[in-house]
Amino acid sequence: MPPMLPDRLPLARIINPRSVAVIGASEDVGKFGGRVIHYLIRHGYSGRLLPINPIRPVIRGLPTHASMAAVPEPVDVAILAVPAATLLREIETCATAGVGACIVITGKLADAGPEGAALEARVAAVARRAGMRLVGPNCLGIFNVTDGAMLSSSLALEVARLKPGGIGMISQSGALMGALVSLGHRHGAGFSRCISVGNQADLDFCDFLDYLIGDPATRVVTLYVEGLKHPARFAPLLRRARAAGKPVLCVKAGRSEAGAQAARSHTASLAGSHATFAALCRDAGAVLLDDPSVMVLAADALDRLAPLPRAGTGVAVVASSGGSTVTTTDMLDGFGLRTAHLAPATRTEMARWMPESHVHLPLDTGSFHDNTSEEALTGCLRAFMTAPDIGAVLVPMTTQPAMAKRAALLPPLAREGGRPLLYVMMAGEVGDAAREAMRAADFPFFDHVAQALAVLRTLEAEAEGRGRAALPPPVRPTGAGPLPAILPGGALTEAEAKRLAAAYGIPVTRERFAATAAEALAAAEAIGFPVVLKGVNRSVVHKSDLGLVRLGLGDAAALRAAHSALMAAPVPLEGVLVQEMARGEAELILGARHEPELGAFVLVGIGGVLVEVLRDVQLAPAPLRAEDAQAMLRRLALWPVLEGVRGRPALDVGAAVETLVRLSWLAADLGPRLVELDLNPILLRAAGEGCTAVDARATLREAAP
Ligand code: ADP
Ligand code: MG
């Protein structure tokens, strides 16, 4: 009688299995199956271990079974590193044997082309029918550091022991995960569960993210993403992590075009638009990074140091070397950081320890080569660790006598205070004793100032995300909507798109359509000279490229001349649009898109043709709060211009914010009907004078039948 179908094994049991079968177990650690069993034993796996080997009766002192079919007891997890050619057969055997889940290290499946993809689909189908879960294929398995269950062949497990800690990791690349865990280990970081998901034929990224959010051992989540199988699940999970008080740090492959190409082939998944992904992460309070090493070291800082009280407070750089404090301070700006402003109370406290000449930041305690130096350092640090004006303390230590002893002073001080203290050992080998002292004290250290600054910037971004998560949900402004009852599909004309925008309270030019020259003149007189004349053809994307935009027509003669010029245009026209000539100090583009599965997004940037040249745009999911719109504008390179530079007036940022918020509600309401909508440009005037959309373009999907 075939065994009963097991219930699908919960993730917690896959990660912490009661029994593990290693298919292709071997004495040879040069082989995948040899390493898997070696690491399970070395790291103290405490469940049932079942080596499967058709030839040898005993492996590493454990009796073997010839095949999964011969195992007389239920097995939670089987690990397979068999060749692709025999994978399907082995999976079928596991399914028949009632295995709960298979971790498939075997590669060359969907990652190797259509033939591999077809095989992978068959493997997944067999597993699904049997109620058996799959991790991978093309993965390196799972390090369950918390429970000592290392279900992996990764060489990161060569160390005698990995330290349990709060960092959880999900990685689409097993090799990168190995390197990152090993790097973290060198710095004394502790991990909870590290999961390499590979091709995600069954269990995917979001399944494991969901698990880590609920996992009490995980305090910080790190992610290396190439592509998501179910993008729609991702942002809600990020928000749940935030609500659970767990920071999420993420590296997404494919920001560069070359990177995106490579990522598509790596684990056979679509890379998606990086800008969209970045906007989703930011909105959900997660931090998106470029550098995986920084991700791990920052996660460690979040796990083992006090959190940054809030974003935007400055840094206190302190060390006993003028050289290191000054160069570190010079580098702050490049990382978007700044030196803290000292409050009077902090100065008073510093003056107890330092001569007046030294009561400032950066603090160099080095001029005191006597016993008072240590006392001064400790006294000032103690003050900094609670000072409301200081967000973080950075100690770039150089070669000096008693480096290890000096280093050992810091962890207790840091633990008393409520600030992150980042310790950098700038020296090479001679600094190793100090590094060892930090490991012994269970305290993070950095090897370079740049590394610590990149981590600090990440802590800033994390604190910002924490702040965002506390904001109330967006509120619809009065007069934003509703959508017109009848919405045509396809490309809208400028006037149609503007009417849609106006229905959401967005200020647009006064204008009128005219079929003839006489109608155009009447329209211009009603609107008032000077006017603008535009040729109307809904399939033209850039009107001015075809000479279809005539600006600043001051009188009837100019209007008539412009009208006949338009009539001679190289494209057929439905008529002309007569509109008021608007003024403005700056041109912005405001846009909206709908991304399948991810929802509506809005963008803002430098308007006109410059948008394509400068790519100075910011993106965020719709709808927006006013705070979100304001933050988007602040992140533009154009921002100083909006604030008013060199005697030019400050512009009406409030009007731009308002318009962006209104557009975001329009985008959200259009939902999947929206392909794209651009207001390009919006002319923005001086503070208090508002803004006007002078051009609009929109493409809508046909209404669903
Ligand atoms: P295009 O299809 O080429 O984008 P636009 O309608 O945006 O055509 O016009 C091109 C440029 O002309 C705009 O970027 C803006 O600088 C200017 N412009 C267009 N309409 C007006 C208007 N009503 N008032 C003032 N300037 C305008
Ligand atoms: Mg335009």
Side-chain angles (χ1 to χ4, degrees), residues 147-399:
D147 300 301
M150 304 302 191
L151 315 165
S152 171
S153 62
S154 166
L155 282 142
L157 299 173
E158 273 302 308
V159 294
R161 178 176 171 271
L162 283 178
K163 199 177 94 183
I167 307 175
M169 183 180 290
I170 310 171
S171 174
Q172 221 156 331
S173 159
L176 182 61
M177 179 172 104
L180 296 181
V181 169
S182 158
L183 171 74
H185 178 72
R186 175 176 177 276
H187 285 257
F191 293 87
S192 57
R193 340 277 184 170
C194 304
I195 300 138
S196 117
V197 295
N199 293 4
Q200 315 177 75
D202 170 31
L203 285 166
D204 78 352
F205 218 91
C206 291
D207 293 321
F208 287 108
L209 180 51
D210 186 44
Y211 167 80
L212 288 185
I213 294 167
D215 172 29
T218 302
R219 290 183 294 265
V220 184
V221 178
T222 57
L223 308 173
Y224 169 65
V225 185
E226 289 177 2
L228 298 168
K229 293 273 154 153
H230 304 289
R233 288 178 66 196
F234 190 59
L237 282 169
L238 294 182
R239 262 183 229 106
R240 257 189 52 215
R242 235 344 357 155
K246 298 188 183 187
V248 178
L249 309 183
C250 178
V251 169
K252 165 86 160 65
R255 188 162 74 97
S256 62
E257 196 40 50
Q261 287 286 351
R264 271 192 280 276
S265 51
H266 187 192
T267 25
S269 44
L270 271 171
S273 142
H274 200 275
T276 312
F277 190 86
L280 278 182
C281 286
R282 185 196 303 275
D283 183 63
V287 183
L288 187 62
L289 300 161
D290 280 338
D291 185 340
S293 316
V294 171
M295 173 170 75
V296 166
L297 298 179
D300 183 33
L302 287 164
D303 189 31
R304 290 197 288 164
L305 297 177
L308 206 66
R310 67 196 141 83
T313 26
V315 186
V317 177
V318 189
S320 50
S321 148
S324 75
T325 54
V326 170
T327 51
T328 299
T329 300
D330 284 344
M331 289 170 75
L332 290 178
D333 192 45
F335 287 84
L337 302 165
R338 63 169 177 82
T339 294
H341 305 299
L342 291 176
T346 317
R347 288 177 174 281
T348 311
E349 186 57 28
M350 281 177 85
R352 289 182 54 199
W353 308 101
M354 310 296 300
E356 188 52 39
S357 60
H358 281 61
V359 177
H360 60 77
L361 292 175
L363 173 61
D364 164 21
T365 61
S367 18
F368 309 91
H369 285 299
D370 52 29
N371 291 337
T372 59
S373 164
E374 210 164 275
E375 232 182 16
L377 182 68
T378 316
C380 290
L381 276 177
R382 192 163 278 137
F384 291 166
M385 291 307 287
T386 52
D389 39 329
I390 291 174
V393 176
L394 188 64
V395 184
M397 204 178 270
T398 47
T399 47

Side-chain angles (χ1 to χ4, degrees), residues 444-531:
F445 65 85
F446 301 92
D447 290 324
H448 327 281
V449 170
Q451 198 176 52
L453 292 177
V455 164
L456 200 46
R457 178 171 55 191
T458 308
L459 301 188
E460 282 279 342
E462 195 280 325
E464 221 173 279
R466 225 187 303 143
R468 284 188 48 80
L471 291 174
V475 182
R476 183 186 292 271
T478 47
L483 283 175
I486 299 165
L487 274 178
L492 308 193
T493 62
E494 175 176 338
E496 288 163 347
K498 277 179 179 164
R499 273 201 293 279
L500 197 50
Y504 278 71
I506 294 171
V508 299
T509 43
R510 282 178 294 126
E511 61 194 28
R512 211 196 270 180
F513 177 81
T516 64
E519 274 180 41
L521 185 57
E525 272 157 3
I527 290 165
F529 286 102
V531 294

